[in-house]
Amino acid sequence: MVVDASDMLSVIKSFPDQCKRALGMAKGIIVSDEITSIVVIGMGGSGISGDLLKMYMATSKIPVFTVRDYSVPAFVDKYTLVIAISYSGNTEETLSAFADAKEKGAALVAITSGGKLAGKCQKVIRVPDGLQPRAALGYLFFSMLGLLYNSSIIEVFNDDINEMLNLLSDAKALEEKGEEIAKRLYGTIPVVYSSAAFAPIAFRWQTQLNENAKYAAFHSTFSEMNHNEINSFMHMEKGKFSSIILKDSHDHRAVKKRMSICKEVMEKKTEVIEFDILGSSLLARMMYAVHLADYVSYHLALRERIDPTPVEVIEWLKRQLAD
Amino acid sequence: MVVDASDMLSVIKSFPDQCKRALGMAKGIIVSDEITSIVVIGMGGSGISGDLLKMYMATSKIPVFTVRDYSVPAFVDKYTLVIAISYSGNTEETLSAFADAKEKGAALVAITSGGKLAGKCQKVIRVPDGLQPRAALGYLFFSMLGLLYNSSIIEVFNDDINEMLNLLSDAKALEEKGEEIAKRLYGTIPVVYSSAAFAPIAFRWQTQLNENAKYAAFHSTFSEMNHNEINSFMHMEKGKFSSIILKDSHDHRAVKKRMSICKEVMEKKTEVIEFDILGSSLLARMMYAVHLADYVSYHLALRERIDPTPVEVIEWLKRQLAD
């Protein structure tokens, strides 16, 4: 079978440009800076942006919650900024949780390419349509950052943006690294490990492997995995799994030590693929690691002779649910 | 090899009694009811109690956060109740995050059997020592509920406790069900699915399988898995995985529908083990599902001729870290 995967590749290559363009998409939309918490509603490729925001705002006094369910937490009130993200605008869970947030009197913003959600919210950030939701991450996440910046909820971050764009501009290096990793994890069940702070990135790797390469894949964190999962390695069949360790320069020194010691156990049974996340600012490190997963999953799909773009089971499921 | 697993079995059987006894262990300890959020610090078998509290307090106006890291979130201040749980009292991550919370001026309570933690906190709930942390869940979780009840943070729940104890008193039925499930998932890689609300329970299943049966195991939730993971089923090798679906009577009707539709896809490649969580109150349903995992993992260990009690890799890791 010859697979034309050029469509996904060109979308992947547009990621840095998406990020840049998205920053201005919230123009004219601001929210009160007197909010006490942020709740981001979203599923799948739309929902991951909430996790990334939580990670990005980890040092803020404003807690960020993500909701992947049909309702929002009980504490949501007028001091809560609720951002509903649905690329299609028609995600069942998101529409339901959005209605719940509206009833609770939250401050509401929607990020979408259209659909029902666009008609239900006064403040809508519109992103370009026609993409797979997971391939619109640049638009979804950075338009949200633009909104929070406009509203003085997050600080100036031009230097970080520039550093990030500079790092991502070397598409050749990213693709080569991605292809190399894909080659090493080919034919295994990948489990992606990171520090607790980088868990959203490890999860993004999992879902890109699920959706682009149609691989069973999982993720977990250091050091929680030291307290349970690590036990399974001694009794594991050799070569069945691969262990991908995302190492961030800002990981706690004890986490670095744990990763290094555990590698010894993991190597006995699994291919261990560890690498240093490049970049200096948090934003650059986050987006480098996110974008690398695009290339890894794309090249894994090619090796499997699978078209990375269509997600047939999800489409089938939507039809079944509509019945 | 003949394995003497009677030790773990007797500890498992003591779970309902643990829960009952633990309720009084916070006697004399109260905290201000003027707190605005609760942060529970803990790793592994100690940390899961925080997730269970978050689940139990889902309808409360007070958000609950869990921390599995070396520090606490930036928003922690004197209005935050921080509960540090470390069964041994010497967990590296917990001691570090506890020190961070102290510096931020949080209201502090420790739950432990001793160790360094007991000496660092004015308000200590002491639980009996000599167990594996994961086997002390009854003590750790219910002593915390006792504290929150004493402090008027949660409401009267005697009826729920009674219903739960009544449900758990049928150890024979639980063990038979557990043994049946163990038989079905034997030799596979179990992936445990639940609604988003029941994610802590699915994670507890995973970790009990990791620690007691030394199995590689994973967990995920409906309906998030409908947006990514479900794609991997079509390309999966038949019989490699098993899918365990924890069905709660209070799951959203759309989640029930999704579980039922997805079963069709999952069955093509995996053994699907679905069952209804028994019980009426949330507490009874939570603890029924938690306790069933004890029996499942215990019987899976027996089938593998593995002693469920020792966790040699974790002990080895602790020695390496101490160097």
Side-chain angles (χ1 to χ4, degrees):
Chain A
M1 186 177 70
V2 177
V3 170
D4 178 15
S6 57
D7 185 33
M8 182 56 84
L9 185 63
S10 65
V11 176
I12 289 174
K13 286 196 191 285
S14 76
F15 178 72
D17 191 52
Q18 264 194 33
C19 302
K20 201 173 168 180
R21 286 176 58 202
L23 284 164
M25 285 179 185
K27 203 177 169 182
I29 302 177
I30 58 163
V31 292
S32 159
D33 61 357
E34 287 183 2
I35 52 140
T36 56
S37 64
I38 298 175
V39 170
V40 184
I41 306 168
M43 307 299 298
S46 300
I48 189 69
S49 286
D51 296 314
L52 294 174
L53 184 67
K54 190 173 178 171
M55 183 177 174
Y56 186 68
M57 290 182 65
T59 55
S60 161
K61 294 273 182 195
I62 300 172
V64 178
F65 300 81
T66 56
V67 169
R68 292 184 163 85
D69 211 342
Y70 290 83
S71 55
V72 294
F75 65 79
V76 169
D77 60 21
K78 65 178 177 174
Y79 300 108
T80 316
L81 168 60
V82 172
I83 304 173
I85 309 182
S86 166
Y87 184 69
S88 69
N90 295 320
T91 313
E92 178 184 275
E93 301 91 322
T94 309
L95 289 169
S96 167
F98 178 82
D100 184 30
K102 198 169 193 171
E103 205 164 295
K104 291 190 163 96
L108 300 165
V109 175
I111 304 179
T112 182
S113 70
K116 290 179 194 162
L117 184 61
K120 286 179 190 294
C121 194
Q122 282 196 312
K123 294 179 180 176
V124 180
I125 301 175
R126 278 203 185 251
V127 298
D129 63 5
L131 296 171
Q132 288 284 343
R134 65 186 180 284
L137 179 63
Y139 290 139
L140 300 172
F141 179 65
F142 282 88
S143 64
M144 179 163 61
L145 284 196
L147 167 78
L148 298 175
Y149 173 66
N150 293 349
S151 310
S152 305
I153 293 168
I154 58 174
E155 316 234 315
V156 183
F157 55 100
N158 281 335
D159 288 353
D160 297 357
I161 297 279
N162 290 335
E163 191 221 341
M164 177 195 84
L165 291 173
N166 190 42
L167 185 64
L168 299 189
S169 69
D170 193 350
K172 192 166 170 285
L174 275 155
E175 184 165 4
E176 277 173 8
K177 184 85 188 157
E179 193 172 356
E180 178 208 320
I181 294 173
K183 193 177 166 185
R184 291 181 66 189
L185 58 78
Y186 176 68
T188 67
I189 303 163
V191 186
V192 189
Y193 298 95
S194 70
S195 62
F198 270 65
I201 308 287
F203 182 52
R204 172 70 176 181
W205 275 64
Q206 172 190 320
T207 59
Q208 286 295 79
L209 293 168
N210 293 151
E211 292 198 80
N212 288 343
K214 282 71 176 171
Y215 257 48
F218 304 93
H219 78 290
S220 186
T221 63
F222 275 83
S223 55
E224 176 64 13
M225 73 82 76
N226 286 179
H227 297 267
N228 32 61
E229 269 180 70
I230 192 71
N231 273 294
S232 65
F233 278 82
M234 296 311 289
H235 296 266
M236 193 178 268
E237 190 185 312
K238 200 172 172 175
K240 195 181 257 186
F241 293 92
S242 58
S243 309
I244 303 166
I245 308 178
L246 311 182
K247 293 159 67 183
D248 180 49
S249 54
H250 287 53
D251 285 339
H252 191 285
R253 61 185 159 66
V255 166
K256 289 179 182 174
K257 191 174 178 184
R258 285 172 182 275
M259 284 177 171
S260 159
I261 294 171
C262 286
K263 196 187 160 194
E264 216 180 293
V265 178
M266 296 161 113
E267 272 179 340
K268 287 193 204 318
K269 299 298 176 70
T270 72
E271 173 83 9
V272 178
I273 303 159
E274 52 171 357
F275 66 89
D276 295 312
I277 295 167
L278 300 185
S280 165
S281 68
L282 176 60
L283 197 66
R285 281 147 45 218
M286 284 170 67
M287 291 304 135
Y288 173 82
V290 157
H291 196 32
L292 186 54
D294 295 340
Y295 286 108
V296 172
S297 55
Y298 169 77
H299 277 282
L300 194 58
L302 288 202
R303 283 192 167 261
E304 294 283 357
R305 306 275 188 279
I306 285 173
D307 185 345
T309 304
V311 281
E312 285 156 22
V313 184
I314 294 182
E315 296 310 323
W316 172 85
L317 185 58
K318 281 183 189 161
R319 288 192 300 273
Q320 297 294 310
L321 284 164
D323 279 351
Chain B
M1 188 178 69
V2 178
V3 170
D4 178 14
S6 56
D7 184 33
M8 182 55 84
L9 185 62
S10 65
V11 176
I12 289 174
K13 285 196 190 285
S14 76
F15 178 72
D17 191 52
Q18 264 193 34
C19 302
K20 200 174 167 181
R21 286 175 58 201
L23 284 164
M25 285 179 185
K27 204 177 167 183
I29 302 177
I30 59 162
V31 291
S32 159
D33 62 356
E34 286 182 5
I35 52 140
T36 56
S37 63
I38 297 175
V39 171
V40 184
I41 306 168
M43 307 300 296
S46 300
I48 189 69
S49 286
D51 296 315
L52 294 174
L53 184 67
K54 190 172 179 172
M55 183 178 174
Y56 185 67
M57 290 183 63
T59 55
S60 161
K61 293 272 182 197
I62 300 173
V64 178
F65 300 81
T66 57
V67 169
R68 291 185 165 85
D69 211 341
Y70 289 83
S71 55
V72 295
F75 65 79
V76 169
D77 60 20
K78 64 179 178 174
Y79 301 107
T80 316
L81 168 60
V82 172
I83 305 173
I85 309 183
S86 166
Y87 183 69
S88 69
N90 295 320
T91 312
E92 178 183 276
E93 301 90 323
T94 309
L95 289 169
S96 167
F98 178 81
D100 184 31
K102 198 169 192 170
E103 205 164 296
K104 291 190 163 97
L108 301 165
V109 176
I111 304 179
T112 182
S113 71
K116 290 179 194 162
L117 184 61
K120 287 179 190 291
C121 195
Q122 283 195 312
K123 294 179 180 178
V124 180
I125 303 175
R126 278 204 185 251
V127 297
D129 63 4
L131 297 170
Q132 288 283 343
R134 66 187 180 282
L137 179 63
Y139 289 140
L140 300 172
F141 179 65
F142 282 88
S143 64
M144 178 163 61
L145 284 196
L147 166 78
L148 299 174
Y149 174 64
N150 294 349
S151 311
S152 304
I153 293 169
I154 57 174
E155 317 233 313
V156 183
F157 56 99
N158 281 335
D159 288 354
D160 297 358
I161 298 279
N162 290 335
E163 191 221 341
M164 176 194 83
L165 291 173
N166 189 40
L167 185 64
L168 299 188
S169 69
D170 194 351
K172 193 165 168 287
L174 275 155
E175 185 165 4
E176 277 174 9
K177 185 85 187 157
E179 193 173 355
E180 179 208 320
I181 294 173
K183 193 176 166 184
R184 291 181 66 189
L185 59 79
Y186 176 68
T188 67
I189 303 163
V191 186
V192 188
Y193 298 95
S194 69
S195 62
F198 269 66
I201 309 287
F203 182 52
R204 172 70 175 180
W205 274 65
Q206 172 190 321
T207 59
Q208 286 295 79
L209 293 168
N210 292 152
E211 292 199 79
N212 289 342
K214 283 73 176 169
Y215 257 49
F218 303 95
H219 78 289
S220 188
T221 62
F222 275 83
S223 55
E224 176 64 13
M225 74 81 78
N226 286 179
H227 298 267
N228 32 60
E229 269 179 71
I230 193 72
N231 273 294
S232 65
F233 277 83
M234 295 311 290
H235 296 267
M236 193 178 270
E237 189 184 313
K238 200 172 173 176
K240 196 181 254 185
F241 293 92
S242 58
S243 309
I244 303 166
I245 307 178
L246 310 182
K247 293 160 66 183
D248 181 49
S249 53
H250 287 53
D251 286 340
H252 191 285
R253 61 185 159 64
V255 166
K256 289 178 182 174
K257 191 174 177 184
R258 286 173 182 275
M259 285 177 171
S260 157
I261 293 170
C262 286
K263 195 187 159 192
E264 217 180 291
V265 178
M266 296 161 113
E267 271 179 341
K268 288 194 205 309
K269 298 298 176 71
T270 71
E271 172 83 9
V272 178
I273 302 160
E274 51 171 357
F275 66 88
D276 295 312
I277 294 167
L278 302 185
S280 166
S281 67
L282 176 60
L283 197 65
R285 280 146 45 217
M286 284 170 67
M287 291 303 136
Y288 172 82
V290 157
H291 197 31
L292 186 55
D294 296 340
Y295 285 108
V296 172
S297 55
Y298 169 78
H299 276 283
L300 194 58
L302 287 202
R303 283 193 167 260
E304 294 283 357
R305 305 278 188 276
I306 284 173
D307 185 344
T309 304
V311 281
E312 286 157 21
V313 185
I314 293 181
E315 297 309 323
W316 172 84
L317 184 59
K318 281 183 189 161
R319 288 192 301 272
Q320 298 294 310
L321 285 164
D323 281 350

